[in-house]
């Protein structure tokens, strides 16, 4: 998921270089959402992954 967020960030940067500002705002929005979903899932996996099975 972090890879997808980075992909959309690169798309936004390239679109910004070429002047497609509508695409930039959409790609940045998607990248932000994916990044925050990644962070939430990462924290949840850290919390629940540390439990011992004993």
């Amino acid at each position: 998921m972090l890879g997808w967020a980075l992909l959309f960030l690169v798309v936004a940067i390239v679109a910004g270089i070429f002047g497609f500002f509508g695409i930039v705002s959409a790609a940045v929005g998607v990248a932000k959402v994916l990044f925050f979903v990644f962070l939430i899932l990462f924290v949840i996996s850290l919390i629940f992954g540390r439990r011992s099975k004993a």
Side-chain angles (χ1 to χ4, degrees), residues 1-20:
M1 189 168 301
L2 187 59
W4 282 100
L6 290 174
L7 175 73
F8 277 103
L9 182 62
V10 169
V11 168
I13 290 171
V14 171
I17 290 172
F18 291 116
F20 298 111

Side-chain angles (χ1 to χ4, degrees), residues 1-52:
M1 189 168 301
L2 187 59
W4 282 100
L6 290 174
L7 175 73
F8 277 103
L9 182 62
V10 169
V11 168
I13 290 171
V14 171
I17 290 172
F18 291 116
F20 298 111
F21 297 110
I23 296 172
V24 170
S25 63
V28 168
V30 171
K32 282 182 185 179
V33 168
L34 287 174
F35 181 71
F36 286 120
V37 169
F38 165 77
L39 282 179
I40 291 169
L41 292 175
F42 179 69
V43 169
I44 289 172
S45 68
L46 281 179
I47 292 170
F48 290 114
R50 290 287 189 182
R51 285 196 265 167
S52 66

